[in-house]
Amino acid sequence: MTDRYAVIGNPISHSKSPQIHKMFAEQTGQDIIYVAIEAPLDGFAATVERLRKEGYKGCNVTVPFKFEAAMIANGISSEAMDALESNNEADAINTLLFQTDKIGGRNTDGAGLVNDIEKNLKIPLKHKRILLIGAGGAAAGVLNPLLVASQSPLVIYNRTLNKAENLKKTITQHEKFQHVSIKPVEFGKLGDAQFDVIINATSAGLTDSEIPLPETVFAPGALAYDMMYGRETPFMKFARKHGAAVVTDGLGMLVEQAAEAFFIWRGVHPDTAPVIKALRQQQ
Ligand code: NAP
């Protein structure tokens, strides 16, 4: 029987997830369908309940429901889920797995980002100086796996300082990060620090807004990574101009986070390279 999955968001019409999962299913021979569903802004939990009653096996969750998804996940896990660095302490979840009376939740964005950087771009994160720009859902979702991969101090740089401070507070409640140096810094106060990996996890690119960065912020060989995809953002343009060695958007992360979700649901790892290539050709 065909198993059903969905991505829930608002708005959702722009989502590439149905196309990505269709390609994964064709490639792996998994019998699934995957649809995009727009939930009313006050109707996320009710939409999940409806899908569960209709027999769906799981869903992805996107803006603005990732924090609500964390509230309804009630604890089941599986081998595939346990293999991921848990982000539940960051309270932003993008993948739900439905079982008879329970809902499992994980955030696959962080694994997606780390896989894109280390596997696809072939840039090891270990001992790299990382600047994470942003302190919203996307930043919260990737912080744990980034820290595990880098094992290094990290700076969270955000327009609103107290959101960066809250993110630090949340992550350092986790025992394994209690002694990790995480420094929240507000826009304009970076000084002359240099970084090897600079990740833009803000939505500033949506409005073509600049991120205030010193021109010297990119260390020799630095990676500039914008989680946004679909167009060259002001951050990417700035990085090209001021010495980043590698500049990329977040399309690879999008496909890699989807692959992690597919593995949670189906126990099969799809090959992401041809899917990334196909989507790049459409850009
Ligand atoms: P969010 O929770 O709304 O957070 C937005 C963040 O962007 C906050 O840190 C906010 O700063 C900052 N921001 C917004 N407008 C800004 C501006 N004009 N200048 C500077 N900072 C600004 O959003 P999110 O869920 O974290 O998503 C952020 C981005 O990541 C989106 O573009 C999303 O598409 C992308 N994303 C991509 C993937 C992928 O797979 N490639 C996955 C997840 C997310 P304040 O705290 O000061 O408001």
Side-chain angles (χ1 to χ4, degrees), residues 63 66-67 109 133-139 158-160 163 187 200-204 206-207 209-211 225 227-229 250-251 253-255 257:
V63 178
K66 287 184 186 179
F67 292 100
D109 282 338
I133 311 173
N158 199 44
R159 183 175 62 178
T160 311
K163 282 205 209 160
F187 274 13
N200 183 16
T202 75
S203 45
L206 285 176
T207 51
S209 306
E210 308 267 350
I211 305 286
Y225 195 108
M227 285 195 195
M228 250 193 73
Y229 47 85
L251 187 72
M253 171 182 172
L254 179 75
V255 175
Q257 63 77 27

Side-chain angles (χ1 to χ4, degrees), residues 182-255:
I182 300 172
K183 191 174 167 200
V185 175
E186 92 185 281
F187 274 13
K189 298 205 171 152
L190 263 186
D192 55 7
Q194 284 203 315
F195 298 88
D196 305 301
V197 175
I198 303 188
I199 298 163
N200 183 16
T202 75
S203 45
L206 285 176
T207 51
D208 272 334
S209 306
E210 308 267 350
I211 305 286
L213 286 168
E215 292 181 359
T216 52
V217 74
F218 299 98
L223 164 69
Y225 195 108
D226 201 316
M227 285 195 195
M228 250 193 73
Y229 47 85
R231 66 181 140 137
E232 181 96 347
T233 61
F235 167 74
M236 292 166 74
K237 288 181 187 142
F238 180 89
R240 283 189 209 288
K241 198 168 160 193
H242 296 293
V246 180
V247 178
T248 186
D249 68 2
L251 187 72
M253 171 182 172
L254 179 75
V255 175

Side-chain angles (χ1 to χ4, degrees), residues 101 115 153 161 174 183 192 212 268 277:
D101 56 348
N115 283 346
L161 180 63
H174 199 292
K183 191 174 167 200
D192 55 7
V268 179
K277 193 173 167 198

